[in-house]
Amino acid sequence: MDKVKVFAPATVANVGSGFDILGFALEAPGDIVEMKKTQQKGIVISEMISEKSLSCVIEENTAGMALVNMYSSRDLSFGIELKITKGVNPGSGTGSSAASAAGAVFAFNQLLDDVDKFSDKELVDFAMDGEVVASGARHADNVAPSVLGGFTLVRQNDPLDVIQIPTPSELYVVVLHPEIEVKTSDSRAILKKQIQLSDAVKQWGNVAGLVAGLFTDDYDLIGRSMEDFAVVPTRSLLIPMYDQLKEKAIENGALGLSISGSGPSVFALCKGLESAESVKKVLVETIEQTNLLYNIHISKVSTEGCKVI
Ligand code: HSE
Protein backbone atom coordinates (compact mmCIF):
# COMPACT_ATOMS: atom_id res chain seq x y z
CA MET A 1 0.00 0.00 0.00
CA ASP A 2 1.46 3.40 -1.02
CA LYS A 3 -1.21 5.71 0.31
CA VAL A 4 -4.06 5.64 2.78
CA LYS A 5 -6.88 7.81 4.10
CA VAL A 6 -7.91 7.46 7.74
CA PHE A 7 -10.72 8.76 9.99
CA ALA A 8 -9.73 9.40 13.61
CA PRO A 9 -12.60 10.14 16.02
CA ALA A 10 -12.98 12.96 18.52
CA THR A 11 -12.96 11.80 22.12
CA VAL A 12 -14.15 12.78 25.58
CA ALA A 13 -11.43 12.38 28.18
CA ASN A 14 -11.77 12.09 31.96
CA VAL A 15 -15.50 11.12 31.81
CA GLY A 16 -16.03 12.99 35.07
CA SER A 17 -14.17 11.10 37.75
CA GLY A 18 -11.40 9.53 35.65
CA PHE A 19 -8.98 12.44 35.27
CA ASP A 20 -6.20 11.42 32.86
CA ILE A 21 -7.26 7.75 32.86
CA LEU A 22 -10.72 7.36 31.29
CA GLY A 23 -11.99 8.36 27.86
CA PHE A 24 -14.34 7.35 25.08
CA ALA A 25 -14.66 7.83 21.33
CA LEU A 26 -17.43 9.75 19.57
CA GLU A 27 -19.01 8.66 16.30
CA ALA A 28 -18.46 12.20 15.00
CA PRO A 29 -16.69 14.50 14.43
CA GLY A 30 -13.21 13.30 13.53
CA ASP A 31 -10.02 14.26 11.70
CA ILE A 32 -9.05 12.88 8.33
CA VAL A 33 -5.41 11.98 7.74
CA GLU A 34 -4.24 11.22 4.22
CA MET A 35 -0.74 9.80 3.99
CA LYS A 36 1.46 8.63 1.15
CA LYS A 37 4.93 7.17 0.79
CA THR A 38 7.63 9.41 -0.71
CA GLN A 39 11.05 8.65 -2.18
CA GLN A 40 12.64 11.31 0.00
CA LYS A 41 13.10 9.91 3.53
CA GLY A 42 11.60 11.75 6.49
CA ILE A 43 8.21 13.15 7.50
CA VAL A 44 6.51 16.09 5.79
CA ILE A 45 3.14 17.65 6.64
CA SER A 46 2.21 19.11 3.28
CA GLU A 47 -1.22 20.49 4.10
CA MET A 48 -3.38 21.28 7.09
CA ILE A 49 -6.99 22.17 6.45
CA SER A 50 -8.37 23.75 9.58
CA GLU A 51 -10.57 26.70 10.61
CA LYS A 52 -7.88 27.69 13.10
CA SER A 53 -4.29 28.10 11.97
CA LEU A 54 -2.12 25.14 12.97
CA SER A 55 1.59 24.67 12.31
CA CYS A 56 2.86 22.17 9.74
CA VAL A 57 6.30 22.20 11.40
CA ILE A 58 6.87 18.66 12.68
CA GLU A 59 8.06 19.70 16.14
CA GLU A 60 5.03 21.99 16.59
CA ASN A 61 2.42 19.58 15.33
CA THR A 62 0.80 16.79 17.36
CA ALA A 63 0.62 14.44 14.37
CA GLY A 64 4.20 15.26 13.41
CA MET A 65 5.60 14.57 16.86
CA ALA A 66 3.56 11.39 17.18
CA LEU A 67 5.31 10.08 14.06
CA VAL A 68 8.91 10.99 14.88
CA ASN A 69 9.79 8.07 17.20
CA MET A 70 7.58 5.67 15.29
CA TYR A 71 9.30 6.50 11.99
CA SER A 72 12.82 6.32 13.40
CA SER A 73 12.22 2.98 15.13
CA ARG A 74 12.03 1.22 11.74
CA ASP A 75 14.75 1.20 9.09
CA LEU A 76 12.64 2.34 6.16
CA SER A 77 13.62 3.10 2.58
CA PHE A 78 10.81 5.63 2.11
CA GLY A 79 9.52 8.84 3.63
CA ILE A 80 5.95 9.91 4.36
CA GLU A 81 3.88 12.94 3.46
CA LEU A 82 0.61 13.73 5.15
CA LYS A 83 -2.37 16.01 4.76
CA ILE A 84 -4.66 16.61 7.72
CA THR A 85 -8.24 17.82 7.47
CA LYS A 86 -9.40 18.92 10.89
CA GLY A 87 -12.93 17.90 11.78
CA VAL A 88 -12.34 18.20 15.51
CA ASN A 89 -12.27 21.82 16.58
CA PRO A 90 -8.87 22.74 18.11
CA GLY A 91 -9.27 24.03 21.67
CA SER A 92 -12.73 22.52 22.12
CA GLY A 93 -11.72 19.88 24.68
CA THR A 94 -12.85 16.98 22.52
CA GLY A 95 -9.45 15.55 21.73
CA SER A 96 -8.49 17.61 18.70
CA SER A 97 -4.74 17.19 19.17
CA ALA A 98 -5.26 13.50 19.94
CA ALA A 99 -7.33 12.80 16.83
CA SER A 100 -4.58 14.11 14.54
CA ALA A 101 -1.90 12.17 16.42
CA ALA A 102 -3.98 8.98 16.50
CA GLY A 103 -4.91 9.27 12.83
CA ALA A 104 -1.27 9.85 11.85
CA VAL A 105 0.16 6.82 13.66
CA PHE A 106 -2.71 4.61 12.51
CA ALA A 107 -2.25 5.73 8.89
CA PHE A 108 1.50 5.18 9.02
CA ASN A 109 0.99 1.67 10.39
CA GLN A 110 -1.17 0.87 7.35
CA LEU A 111 1.75 1.76 5.06
CA LEU A 112 4.17 -0.58 6.83
CA ASP A 113 4.89 -4.16 5.76
CA ASP A 114 3.43 -6.80 8.09
CA VAL A 115 6.80 -7.50 9.73
CA ASP A 116 7.18 -3.83 10.60
CA LYS A 117 3.64 -3.19 11.84
CA PHE A 118 3.04 -2.08 15.44
CA SER A 119 0.29 -3.30 17.78
CA ASP A 120 -2.67 -1.01 18.52
CA LYS A 121 -1.34 -0.38 22.02
CA GLU A 122 2.08 0.59 20.64
CA LEU A 123 0.25 3.05 18.40
CA VAL A 124 -1.35 4.60 21.49
CA ASP A 125 2.10 4.95 23.04
CA PHE A 126 3.48 6.75 19.95
CA ALA A 127 0.41 8.99 19.71
CA MET A 128 1.07 10.13 23.29
CA ASP A 129 4.27 11.80 22.02
CA GLY A 130 1.98 14.12 20.10
CA GLU A 131 -0.01 15.11 23.20
CA VAL A 132 3.10 16.68 24.71
CA VAL A 133 2.95 19.36 21.99
CA ALA A 134 -0.59 20.34 22.98
CA SER A 135 -0.62 20.04 26.74
CA GLY A 136 2.94 19.53 27.92
CA ALA A 137 1.88 16.17 29.35
CA ARG A 138 2.11 12.61 28.05
CA HIS A 139 -1.45 11.56 28.79
CA ALA A 140 -3.27 8.80 26.89
CA ASP A 141 -6.89 9.35 27.85
CA ASN A 142 -7.75 10.92 24.47
CA VAL A 143 -5.38 9.06 22.14
CA ALA A 144 -6.31 5.62 23.53
CA PRO A 145 -10.05 5.85 22.70
CA SER A 146 -9.29 7.59 19.39
CA VAL A 147 -7.06 4.70 18.30
CA LEU A 148 -8.98 1.83 19.92
CA GLY A 149 -12.61 3.07 20.05
CA GLY A 150 -15.15 2.69 22.85
CA PHE A 151 -14.19 3.37 26.46
CA THR A 152 -10.59 2.96 27.53
CA LEU A 153 -8.89 2.91 30.91
CA VAL A 154 -5.26 3.96 31.18
CA ARG A 155 -4.18 2.04 34.26
CA GLN A 156 -0.61 3.26 33.95
CA ASN A 157 1.29 5.60 31.62
CA ASP A 158 4.80 4.24 31.90
CA PRO A 159 5.02 1.54 30.81
CA LEU A 160 1.69 2.06 29.14
CA ASP A 161 -1.11 -0.23 30.28
CA VAL A 162 -4.41 0.44 28.49
CA ILE A 163 -7.56 -1.60 29.00
CA GLN A 164 -10.60 -1.54 26.69
CA ILE A 165 -13.91 -1.37 28.52
CA PRO A 166 -17.31 -2.41 27.14
CA THR A 167 -19.61 0.33 25.85
CA PRO A 168 -23.29 0.01 26.87
CA SER A 169 -25.28 0.03 23.64
CA GLU A 170 -27.75 2.78 24.54
CA LEU A 171 -25.17 5.33 25.63
CA TYR A 172 -25.46 8.70 23.88
CA VAL A 173 -23.55 11.87 24.55
CA VAL A 174 -24.53 15.50 24.13
CA VAL A 175 -21.47 17.71 23.64
CA LEU A 176 -21.85 21.46 24.15
CA HIS A 177 -18.93 23.62 23.07
CA PRO A 178 -19.14 27.19 24.32
CA GLU A 179 -16.76 29.15 22.12
CA ILE A 180 -14.35 30.44 24.71
CA GLU A 181 -10.67 29.64 24.63
CA VAL A 182 -9.30 27.31 27.31
CA LYS A 183 -5.87 25.94 26.51
CA THR A 184 -5.16 22.46 27.86
CA SER A 185 -1.81 23.62 29.21
CA ASP A 186 -3.50 26.47 31.15
CA SER A 187 -6.31 24.25 32.30
CA ARG A 188 -3.72 21.81 33.70
CA ALA A 189 -1.58 24.55 35.24
CA ILE A 190 -4.43 25.76 37.50
CA LEU A 191 -5.08 22.36 39.05
CA LYS A 192 -4.41 21.69 42.73
CA LYS A 193 -1.31 19.59 43.20
CA GLN A 194 -2.75 17.74 46.18
CA ILE A 195 -6.20 16.63 47.24
CA GLN A 196 -7.58 15.60 50.63
CA LEU A 197 -7.51 11.90 51.44
CA SER A 198 -11.29 12.06 52.07
CA ASP A 199 -11.79 13.41 48.53
CA ALA A 200 -9.44 10.78 47.12
CA VAL A 201 -11.55 8.06 48.75
CA LYS A 202 -14.71 9.44 47.13
CA GLN A 203 -12.86 9.76 43.83
CA TRP A 204 -11.61 6.19 43.57
CA GLY A 205 -15.02 4.97 44.72
CA ASN A 206 -16.49 6.78 41.73
CA VAL A 207 -13.86 5.60 39.24
CA ALA A 208 -14.44 2.02 40.31
CA GLY A 209 -18.23 2.58 40.18
CA LEU A 210 -18.00 4.03 36.68
CA VAL A 211 -15.97 1.10 35.40
CA ALA A 212 -18.32 -1.38 37.09
CA GLY A 213 -21.31 0.43 35.57
CA LEU A 214 -19.80 0.18 32.09
CA PHE A 215 -19.13 -3.53 32.51
CA THR A 216 -22.64 -4.28 33.79
CA ASP A 217 -24.69 -1.87 31.61
CA ASP A 218 -25.84 -0.18 34.81
CA TYR A 219 -26.70 3.28 33.50
CA ASP A 220 -27.67 4.74 36.89
CA LEU A 221 -24.39 3.58 38.42
CA ILE A 222 -22.52 5.20 35.53
CA GLY A 223 -24.34 8.46 36.15
CA ARG A 224 -23.83 8.61 39.90
CA SER A 225 -20.16 7.69 39.54
CA MET A 226 -19.28 10.60 37.24
CA GLU A 227 -18.85 13.15 40.04
CA ASP A 228 -15.26 14.43 40.26
CA PHE A 229 -13.62 15.86 43.36
CA ALA A 230 -10.13 16.45 41.93
CA VAL A 231 -10.24 18.77 38.91
CA VAL A 232 -13.81 19.78 38.06
CA PRO A 233 -14.28 22.06 41.12
CA THR A 234 -11.36 24.18 39.84
CA ARG A 235 -11.92 23.94 36.10
CA SER A 236 -15.69 24.49 36.19
CA LEU A 237 -15.01 28.07 37.30
CA LEU A 238 -13.71 28.72 33.76
CA ILE A 239 -16.93 27.51 32.12
CA PRO A 240 -19.86 29.95 32.06
CA MET A 241 -23.09 28.52 33.56
CA TYR A 242 -21.42 25.19 34.39
CA ASP A 243 -23.52 24.55 37.53
CA GLN A 244 -26.77 25.52 35.80
CA LEU A 245 -25.94 23.35 32.76
CA LYS A 246 -25.31 20.37 35.01
CA GLU A 247 -28.42 20.90 37.13
CA LYS A 248 -30.71 21.32 34.10
CA ALA A 249 -29.23 18.32 32.29
CA ILE A 250 -29.70 16.03 35.28
CA GLU A 251 -33.21 17.38 36.04
CA ASN A 252 -34.08 16.49 32.45
CA GLY A 253 -32.85 12.93 32.49
CA ALA A 254 -29.10 13.04 31.83
CA LEU A 255 -27.15 10.36 33.67
CA GLY A 256 -24.54 13.01 34.47
CA LEU A 257 -22.75 16.04 33.06
CA SER A 258 -19.11 16.97 33.34
CA ILE A 259 -16.27 18.75 31.55
CA SER A 260 -15.01 17.14 28.37
CA GLY A 261 -11.25 16.77 28.76
CA SER A 262 -9.81 20.07 29.88
CA GLY A 263 -12.83 22.02 28.57
CA PRO A 264 -14.40 24.32 27.59
CA SER A 265 -16.83 21.72 26.17
CA VAL A 266 -19.14 19.96 28.57
CA PHE A 267 -20.74 16.61 27.87
CA ALA A 268 -23.84 14.87 29.18
CA LEU A 269 -24.18 11.11 29.08
CA CYS A 270 -27.72 9.91 28.35
CA LYS A 271 -29.51 6.60 28.03
CA GLY A 272 -31.09 6.55 24.58
CA LEU A 273 -31.43 9.10 21.79
CA GLU A 274 -34.75 10.48 23.04
CA SER A 275 -33.22 11.40 26.37
CA ALA A 276 -30.24 12.96 24.61
CA GLU A 277 -32.61 15.12 22.52
CA SER A 278 -34.36 16.48 25.64
CA VAL A 279 -31.04 17.14 27.35
CA LYS A 280 -29.76 18.95 24.27
CA LYS A 281 -32.87 21.16 24.35
CA VAL A 282 -32.34 22.30 27.96
CA LEU A 283 -28.63 22.82 27.43
CA VAL A 284 -29.45 25.09 24.48
CA GLU A 285 -32.02 27.01 26.58
CA THR A 286 -29.44 27.45 29.33
CA ILE A 287 -26.47 28.50 27.21
CA GLU A 288 -28.72 30.89 25.26
CA GLN A 289 -28.90 32.95 28.46
CA THR A 290 -25.29 33.97 27.78
CA ASN A 291 -24.03 35.92 24.77
CA LEU A 292 -21.62 33.16 23.88
CA LEU A 293 -21.39 31.51 20.51
CA TYR A 294 -21.63 27.75 20.91
CA ASN A 295 -22.19 24.55 19.05
CA ILE A 296 -23.90 21.46 20.32
CA HIS A 297 -24.33 17.98 18.95
CA ILE A 298 -25.42 14.49 19.88
CA SER A 299 -23.26 11.47 19.15
CA LYS A 300 -23.47 7.85 20.05
CA VAL A 301 -20.48 6.63 22.04
CA SER A 302 -18.59 4.86 19.29
CA THR A 303 -17.03 1.44 19.61
CA GLU A 304 -14.87 2.22 16.56
CA GLY A 305 -11.52 3.96 16.76
CA CYS A 306 -9.35 4.96 13.81
CA LYS A 307 -10.40 3.38 10.54
CA VAL A 308 -9.40 3.39 6.89
CA ILE A 309 -11.97 5.21 4.74
N1 HSE B 1 -6.91 14.41 30.84
C1 HSE B 1 -6.55 15.60 30.13
C2 HSE B 1 -6.88 16.80 31.00
C3 HSE B 1 -7.35 15.67 28.86
O1 HSE B 1 -7.94 16.80 31.61
O2 HSE B 1 -6.07 17.72 31.08
C4 HSE B 1 -6.99 16.84 28.01
O3 HSE B 1 -7.80 16.82 26.86
Side-chain angles (χ1 to χ4, degrees), residues 13-14 19-20 93 95 131 139 141-142 184 188 235 261-262:
N14 301 340
F19 174 65
D20 271 0
E131 285 293 51
H139 61 92
D141 52 341
N142 287 111
T184 303
R188 292 181 80 83
R235 285 179 166 176
S262 57

Side-chain angles (χ1 to χ4, degrees), residues 186-206:
D186 294 341
S187 176
R188 292 181 80 83
I190 59 168
L191 297 178
K192 289 189 287 184
K193 300 286 174 281
Q194 292 177 329
I195 62 170
Q196 292 284 334
L197 182 60
S198 53
D199 282 339
V201 171
K202 291 193 268 184
Q203 188 83 7
W204 54 58
N206 275 352

